[in-house]
Amino acid sequence: MPTWGALPVEFRILGPTTLVVQGKRRHLGVRKTRGALAVLLSQPNTVVSASTLVDALWGEESGREPRHLQPVISKARNALSVCGPRVAIDTTADGYRLRIDDSLAVDLFRFRELVNRARAARDGERLDEAEQLYAEALGLWSDRPLHELDTPRAQTMRDPLRGEQTAARVALHDIWLDLGEHDRVEESLRSALLGELDERFAAQWMRTLHQTGRTGEIATYFRTFAHRTRLEVDAEPSAGLRRLHDDLIARATTVEPLSGRGVVVGLPRAQAHFVGRGEQLRSLDHALAPNAIVAVDGPPTVGKTTLLVQWAQARRQRSPDTLILYTDLNGYSVSAPKGREDVLVEFLRELGSVDIPTSPVEQLAHLRARIGDRRAVFILDNARNSAQAERLLDLTGSAPVVVSSRQRLNGLIVRRGARRITVPPLSDADAEELLTRRLEDRVTADPRAMRDLIGFAGGLPMALLIAAEQIAARASVSVRDLVDELRKESRLLDVGSDGPDTAGTLRTIFSWSLDALAEQPRRLLTLLGLHPRPHFSVGAAAALGDMTRAEAGDLLDLVVDAGLLDRDRAGRYRMHDLIHSFVTDRVGGPQWVDHRQTATVQLLDWYLHALGAARDLITLDAHRVPPVGPREPIEPVVHGDAAEALRWSVTEHSNLVEATRLAARRGHHHHTWRFAACFNDLLQRHGDTRTAIEVNDLGRRAANLVREVEGEAGCLNNLGLTYLAGGDPHTAALHLTRANELFERIGNSYGRAVSLHNLATTHLERDQLDEAATAYRQALRTLLEPGGAPDKVSWSVAQVHLRLGDLHLRRAEYDLALAEYARARLLRVALKDERGEALVVSAVARLHLSRGNPAEAIAHGGDALARHLSCVDLVSTVNTLCLLSTAHLDLGELPEAVDTARRAVSFAHDLANLRLQADALRTLGLAQARSGSPTDAATTWRRAAAILRSLSSPEAAVLESWVDDLPL
């Protein structure tokens, strides 16, 4: 649509005369005004005589004169004023001329331009392109042109325009006939034949009857058409139409139908190790009925062909008289995709035809005759897309059709009403059965290695069988070594070929799907190989592709339809591990070297920006981590509030860990230490001590490399906190001392106070209470020095008061401890720090338990527990559950004690904090022992002791002695 200035303008005269500006219809006035505009727009930039306009508007016998046009033209000019000076009606000596800068603003001239392009495409044998262009051109027609005028002159002007429309319809029908789209020809011609006596339509109808095996109906139709011609126009059908009739009748050959029982045409051998798929087999049975179409899809190598072959063989046994015709359409293959004529000839040969006609029309008639009245099922396997399959549907008559593709066949479903069946990866149980059938005893030789193999093969039968062949062929090598070898460096993608022929490898099969994508989705999928995990959000994909979320979503939908990606939930996607390995290798190629660096930085920027924004909302430590640079992502994540930021952080936890590792691996040091600084609080909540140590150490090293002293000191401080949480105050003190020295060197008094506070906690955990008290008070004095930021100071001062309360609790100074907790809580409430307040409430619960008030401990502990869960503080959740279990024990509430301890063990099991797991198990063992279940207690304490031994903790021996004292 032409755009004049900021105004997209469109005139429509192929139906009711309409002006559309910026997508909105504009009022063009009364009927005569619209009719005059239609006449002028049909001949833009050309003078239309006044007499022609008078005759078109009022008729030749109306007695109207040219002067009667003046008010009509005046109203037309007013209506066009919205278009500005580029559209105007000029008065000339002979009449009027509608002047317009671009005639393509008028739908009639866009129609003609599209028709000309369609003819050129047809001449160049680009039938798909020609079909699209003709369809687009005809779509511009909504009704008769010069719609508002009914005079004889208007009809004279209208007839040639309708002739252009009919010519375009005829041309489109010819293309459909060449493409075998007989259903579409029939649908279009049924209405045309009722309204128009056009021999071109009649010829196309007879050709359609012949090509769809209904040659016997041609003679009856021709007699009816000839009768109408004589009746309505007093003429006989032309000699050309009669010759076509005679030729089609003569071409109808007599072919003997197949005899004997059921025949299976072209079906491959059934897979020897077929497992599972009961649901899909039942769905195929239930879906088939006359005229039914079933669209089977699933990712590459998931076993669609194997499923269809198994189903066809079973159907043959149940229904021996059924004729099953199978073909591989080569949609994804080293061979070219099969066309309609290829499939026709293939079926005829498989059915034993010797003298195969050369004409596709006669071939189809021959095929229908060979099938005869037999019950038949067509299986069109490995289609490229819906379009390839749709061109073959006329071959199948009314027989049911099963079409398979790794592409989702949305076109068949929407346009043809096909029923969709998706083939998913095998379940772990079915995958194990498949390996057992192939490898027998070797599966049981190393069950853990087999579980690992099933895990990274991801339920793809072809991957499992390729791996099984490698294991079976190398009996002298351990299963574990073979599985590790296949997993290493994408080895599984490249095994399974026959010498230099790589067509049977997973890499080649995946490449057929990737290369079949259009350029933009193919580029985005390849760039997703840079994402460190196969699970990601649309926002991360947008960052990699340097595009908006909407643009990325549209492209990802195409990749999902191609079977290379799955939707996880709203806005999130998952890729099969092997496909992710494949695209990771692809993007690692030399042609992607420039894209890799840019896209990786964009991805890291996006994650870091979102993580930093989440940290600022979730944690009330006002010590902000400085941004990595001035450039924001194209469409950054915007967290509505702290709860939303926390949900995002929990969802993206694994991706954030991997993004930190990626930044370190690629040498993006400024990103690395900032990831560690922003991520620490969330890692502490999850209790993932091992990962927190790794991330903070990566951050420390990165900050040191780029001489970011404050960043290095911050990461050292966080390392110290992590070792503290893991029960290693000695190592924590080493890191915190170094952090304190660096903060002092750069004059950062706040950082010095925080690290000093954390050093004090290492003294507290080692029962060095006097040293702890001195350090806490020194940290408090430093924080309260003039010049500190109020928010920053309040948050940290509250933390010091909380720890001073813990110190007084160790000394059994309960009133002093309560006073410190009260000060801490007041500051937390003022800051609206729910997590910090929850920690204070937990501390008060511990105090009441120590003081011998278990009921008060339960009341405060229950309040704290709800807050911890709300803040996703899982470490504090486990600790509070252990406290509550102990309080229930003290009250003699044994069932409640056991249940609460079990909850603690369950939460701890999902964390990577081994010490926390041991604490939860120790608490559960105490509850079980007190409840009269010594055997259960022994089992639980042994599990806890094993964990503590792995940590080289002397507490393991204590638990073992408890087991020895049980009355077993």
Side-chain angles (χ1 to χ4, degrees), residues 22 144 153 166 170 188 194 211 268 270 314 485 508 575 628 662 707 713 799 837-838 908 919 944:
Q22 288 187 325
R144 65 177 189 173
R153 175 59 66 91
T166 299
V170 169
S188 179
L194 289 173
Q211 291 182 19
E485 178 185 319
T508 298
M575 196 186 306
V628 74
L662 174 65
R707 300 185 180 179
Q799 193 69 13
E837 187 181 356
D919 288 345

Side-chain angles (χ1 to χ4, degrees), residues 740-820:
N740 190 264
E741 292 169 355
L742 291 178
F743 281 129
E744 187 167 6
R745 189 210 301 175
I746 61 176
N748 187 327
S749 61
Y750 175 74
R752 192 159 48 86
V754 169
S755 58
L756 189 57
H757 159 271
N758 294 333
L759 266 171
T761 305
T762 68
H763 291 302
L764 181 65
E765 293 302 314
R766 288 178 285 181
D767 287 326
Q768 299 166 351
L769 303 187
D770 292 339
E771 291 89 339
T774 301
Y776 281 135
R777 293 191 179 97
Q778 185 180 347
L780 194 58
R781 285 195 300 272
T782 304
L783 286 169
L784 295 176
E785 288 175 355
D791 288 343
K792 189 185 299 185
V793 168
S794 296
W795 186 86
S796 300
V797 168
Q799 193 69 13
V800 176
H801 284 303
L802 173 63
R803 287 304 188 183
L804 281 170
D806 292 343
L807 186 147
H808 288 303
L809 180 58
R810 290 280 184 97
R811 289 173 167 169
E813 299 167 348
Y814 299 119
D815 292 338
L816 291 175
L818 277 173
E820 293 292 351

Side-chain angles (χ1 to χ4, degrees), residues 937-949:
T939 301
T940 301
W941 280 338
R942 287 187 184 111
R943 286 171 59 194
I947 293 172
L948 291 169
R949 272 199 307 275

Side-chain angles (χ1 to χ4, degrees), residues 201-215:
F201 287 156
Q204 289 177 330
W205 183 253
M206 289 193 295
R207 287 170 58 198
T208 302
L209 291 173
H210 179 64
Q211 291 182 19
T212 55
R214 293 177 287 167
T215 306

Side-chain angles (χ1 to χ4, degrees), residues 3-7 9 11 45 77-90 97-102:
T3 302
W4 298 331
L7 295 178
V9 178
F11 291 99
N45 302 313
R77 284 173 173 147
N78 288 336
L80 295 177
S81 62
V82 69
C83 299
R86 300 195 179 190
V87 183
I89 299 176
D90 298 331
R97 175 178 57 229
L98 190 146
R99 179 167 39 83
I100 187 169
D101 276 8
D102 188 348

Side-chain angles (χ1 to χ4, degrees), residues 208-388:
T208 302
L209 291 173
H210 179 64
Q211 291 182 19
T212 55
R214 293 177 287 167
T215 306
E217 299 177 27
I218 291 176
T220 302
Y221 169 74
F222 184 77
R223 283 195 299 272
T224 302
F225 181 81
H227 178 72
R228 276 189 67 193
T229 304
R230 297 185 197 104
L231 189 65
E232 295 179 24
V233 298
D234 194 23
E236 293 290 330
S238 69
L241 187 65
R242 191 175 292 279
R243 278 196 303 274
L244 175 64
H245 163 266
D246 295 344
D247 182 53
L248 293 176
I249 296 295
R251 274 196 254 168
T253 56
T254 301
V255 180
E256 287 295 321
L258 289 169
S259 59
R261 304 197 76 191
V263 177
V264 176
V265 172
L267 196 69
R269 290 178 62 85
Q271 172 62 252
H273 305 297
F274 182 84
V275 298
R277 306 302 192 199
E279 180 182 345
Q280 288 74 37
L281 291 169
R282 288 189 295 273
S283 295
L284 282 166
D285 283 336
H286 295 156
L288 285 197
N291 294 305
I293 302 173
V294 181
V296 178
D297 63 51
T301 77
V302 80
K304 297 178 292 297
T305 298
T306 302
L307 168 72
L308 294 181
V309 171
Q310 186 76 16
W311 172 78
Q313 297 287 16
R315 188 172 184 85
R316 180 190 180 193
Q317 292 175 7
R318 292 196 306 269
S319 181
D321 292 333
T322 299
L323 172 62
I324 298 175
L325 297 100
Y326 170 96
T327 183
D328 180 348
L329 296 180
N330 293 340
Y332 297 89
S333 169
V334 291
S335 304
K338 291 178 184 175
R340 184 171 177 278
E341 188 172 347
D342 299 322
V343 175
L344 262 174
V345 171
E346 178 184 334
F347 281 158
L348 287 171
R349 284 177 178 159
E350 293 286 350
L351 289 170
S353 296
V354 179
D355 298 322
I356 298 175
T358 57
S359 162
V361 174
E362 294 179 20
Q363 289 169 356
L364 178 58
H366 202 94
L367 176 65
R368 290 189 183 281
R370 288 291 283 164
I371 296 173
D373 295 330
R374 295 289 292 273
R375 180 189 302 165
V377 176
F378 286 81
I379 300 176
L380 309 179
D381 191 20
N382 190 21
R384 181 77 162 205
N385 47 38
S386 292
Q388 184 188 17

Side-chain angles (χ1 to χ4, degrees), residues 188-197 228 232:
S188 179
L189 281 177
R190 285 188 191 282
S191 59
L193 291 171
L194 289 173
E196 298 186 41
L197 198 65
R228 276 189 67 193
E232 295 179 24

